[in-house]
Amino acid sequence: MALEHAILVSLLEKPGSGYELARRFERSIGYFWTATHQQIYRVLKRMESDGLLEVREVAQQGRPDKKEYSVAGPGRAALSRWLHEPVEPESIRHELAVKIRGAAFDDPAGLVSEVERHRKAHADRLAHYLSGERRDFTGPEAPLPLDAGRELQHAVLRGGIAYERMTIAWLDDVLATLHRLGTARPGI
Amino acid sequence: MALEHAILVSLLEKPGSGYELARRFERSIGYFWTATHQQIYRVLKRMESDGLLEVREVAQQGRPDKKEYSVAGPGRAALSRWLHEPVEPESIRHELAVKIRGAAFDDPAGLVSEVERHRKAHADRLAHYLSGERRDFTGPEAPLPLDAGRELQHAVLRGGIAYERMTIAWLDDVLATLHRLGTARPGI
DNA sequence: TCCTTCTATGCAACTCGTTGCATAGACAAG
DNA sequence: CTTGTCTATGCAACGAGTTGCATAGAAGGA
């Protein structure tokens, strides 16, 4: 049920509609948790009927009406309860790693373009994170003050940046390995 | 359907039963893909009825009989097809990161023990990976030769090692941030 | 002897997550 | 004037993954 908690955190940071939440899950929250709009709408409805959230119909000009959700008392309590119980250390699920091991039974050299594609995607994500970091935290235009919430957001973003840097370095390592297998000892 | 492909790779590396696969998913394959035994048994059955795998009943002494699965021709073809089509770069799902951002609305200092617990889990996993690396790849007792399959397995393991090191460093960063928030500016 | 652990397989029920599709008003480009 | 994009919400069906439970023989310890 981590999606519920991610939604509670996001709505505490700023109330918003399902649509707005979906967009946040493509950006900041999406650094460490993903969700599609269908999932979000479904869970929002359930959370509201469970009394964790409050809705407010908001009429807009030039746009469809929206339902703005905010966290109700029981929602805050549920988040607090969850924060005080342990969660399992996450385990990774990395399809590309499956492919890399599988390449031994096919054509290792054929994997190069796929690995390069992933490397580019991670480099793009890193650039995106870094520009976000400058904009929100370290740049001269970054808003002040840095309260606890923003400090913690920054710490999480630093984790995303470290993850992308590590992944890029690893993919370079993988590319070097594939290159070595393709040239030094062909046919093995 | 990445579980299917992970199973194909694992069975190509070495045929085995559902039980044995479940154990591998706790170790080497589990470095980058996880699955429970129920999931594995269900998928094995489906893959066999789809003709991707072959079964062989094996009687054992002092143990229950087992069904040893191995990859059939169509299974190898399915893996090859998958290797040649692109997969999406993975996105992380990190509950602890949700907690860290959520802590701003509760008690940041209360999170310290949880982060320390995660740090220890990652340090244990790193130690486990490193001893596996010495045993299988870099140590004086490591078996030879290092063919393409083992080179690629090693590359994936290096990815796991890099991931754990990065995560430990990040959690230290988070702990320092929590400490800073708890002492320098209490109450903010 | 009983209790636990290990090997080995599986069902049933449930929740979580994805994919495809549908609706509908506003706005911009061609 | 049609096509496409953006905001905004949602249903239905399916597939992936989790949790709890059940069975059963063999081995080992209290």
Side-chain angles (χ1 to χ4, degrees):
Chain A
M1 297 240 206
L3 179 54
E4 283 199 11
H5 302 118
I7 287 175
L8 286 171
V9 171
S10 190
L11 289 179
L12 279 170
E13 287 174 355
K14 188 168 162 45
S17 68
Y19 187 83
E20 284 160 355
L21 279 172
R23 312 222 62 197
R24 289 184 212 170
F25 273 84
E26 286 167 11
R27 315 175 5 94
S28 70
I29 307 283
Y31 297 164
F32 50 83
W33 206 266
T34 58
T36 60
H37 78 272
Q38 289 87 347
Q39 233 185 312
I40 291 166
Y41 282 122
R42 196 199 296 154
V43 172
L44 279 175
K45 197 160 274 192
R46 187 182 66 214
M47 290 171 77
E48 197 237 313
S49 81
D50 290 349
L52 304 180
L53 301 180
E54 277 163 8
V55 207
R56 201 168 57 94
E57 287 271 347
V58 178
Q60 300 183 110
Q61 44 198 6
R63 292 178 180 190
D65 298 354
K66 67 173 181 178
K67 298 183 187 173
E68 195 183 73
Y69 289 89
S70 53
V71 178
R76 233 187 143 104
L79 181 67
S80 178
R81 232 176 298 123
W82 176 68
L83 286 171
H84 286 276
E85 62 191 33
V87 295
E88 282 303 298
E90 86 298 340
S91 39
I92 6 166
R93 295 211 154 176
H94 210 302
E95 274 195 286
L96 186 60
V98 180
K99 278 198 170 190
I100 291 166
R101 267 173 86 149
F105 304 97
D106 204 74
D107 170 30
L111 209 65
V112 167
S113 63
E114 174 80 339
V115 175
E116 280 169 346
R117 209 171 55 81
H118 281 250
R119 191 198 187 283
K120 187 180 180 315
H122 284 282
D124 289 350
R125 225 186 279 172
L126 174 60
H128 178 69
Y129 289 0
L130 287 172
S131 85
E133 189 186 34
R134 270 190 303 275
R135 185 189 61 237
D136 296 335
F137 301 109
T138 60
E141 313 263 300
L144 291 171
L146 277 177
D147 58 14
R150 306 242 345 279
E151 284 279 10
L152 291 170
Q153 282 180 32
H154 190 194
V156 170
L157 179 55
R158 287 197 299 272
I161 290 168
Y163 176 79
E164 299 304 333
R165 287 200 166 122
M166 179 279 298
T167 302
I168 290 166
W170 173 58
L171 292 178
D172 284 339
D173 176 8
V174 170
L175 284 170
T177 305
L178 289 173
H179 187 68
R180 204 155 14 92
L181 292 172
T183 57
R185 294 180 288 171
I188 293 192
Chain B
M1 297 239 205
L3 178 54
E4 283 199 11
H5 302 118
I7 286 175
L8 286 171
V9 171
S10 190
L11 290 179
L12 280 170
E13 288 175 356
K14 188 167 162 43
S17 68
Y19 187 83
E20 284 161 355
L21 278 172
R23 312 223 60 199
R24 289 184 212 170
F25 274 84
E26 285 167 9
R27 315 175 5 97
S28 69
I29 308 283
Y31 297 164
F32 49 83
W33 205 267
T34 57
T36 59
H37 78 270
Q38 289 87 346
Q39 231 185 312
I40 290 167
Y41 282 121
R42 198 199 294 152
V43 172
L44 280 175
K45 197 160 272 192
R46 188 182 67 213
M47 290 171 77
E48 196 238 312
S49 80
D50 289 351
L52 304 180
L53 301 180
E54 277 163 8
V55 207
R56 201 168 57 94
E57 288 271 345
V58 178
Q60 300 183 111
Q61 44 197 8
R63 292 178 181 189
D65 297 356
K66 66 174 181 179
K67 297 183 186 172
E68 195 184 72
Y69 289 89
S70 54
V71 178
R76 232 187 143 105
L79 181 66
S80 178
R81 233 177 298 123
W82 176 68
L83 286 173
H84 287 277
E85 60 191 35
V87 296
E88 282 304 298
E90 87 299 338
S91 38
I92 6 167
R93 296 211 154 176
H94 212 303
E95 275 194 287
L96 186 60
V98 180
K99 277 199 170 189
I100 292 166
R101 266 173 87 150
F105 304 96
D106 203 74
D107 170 30
L111 208 64
V112 167
S113 63
E114 174 81 339
V115 175
E116 281 169 345
R117 209 171 55 81
H118 280 250
R119 193 200 185 281
K120 185 178 180 317
H122 284 282
D124 289 349
R125 226 187 276 173
L126 175 60
H128 177 69
Y129 289 1
L130 287 172
S131 85
E133 189 187 34
R134 269 190 303 276
R135 185 188 61 237
D136 296 335
F137 300 108
T138 60
E141 314 264 299
L144 291 170
L146 277 177
D147 59 13
R150 308 244 341 280
E151 285 279 10
L152 292 170
Q153 282 181 32
H154 190 193
V156 169
L157 180 55
R158 287 197 300 272
I161 290 168
Y163 177 79
E164 299 303 333
R165 287 200 167 121
M166 179 280 297
T167 302
I168 290 165
W170 174 58
L171 292 178
D172 284 337
D173 176 8
V174 170
L175 284 171
T177 304
L178 289 173
H179 187 70
R180 201 156 15 93
L181 291 172
T183 57
R185 293 182 288 172
I188 292 192

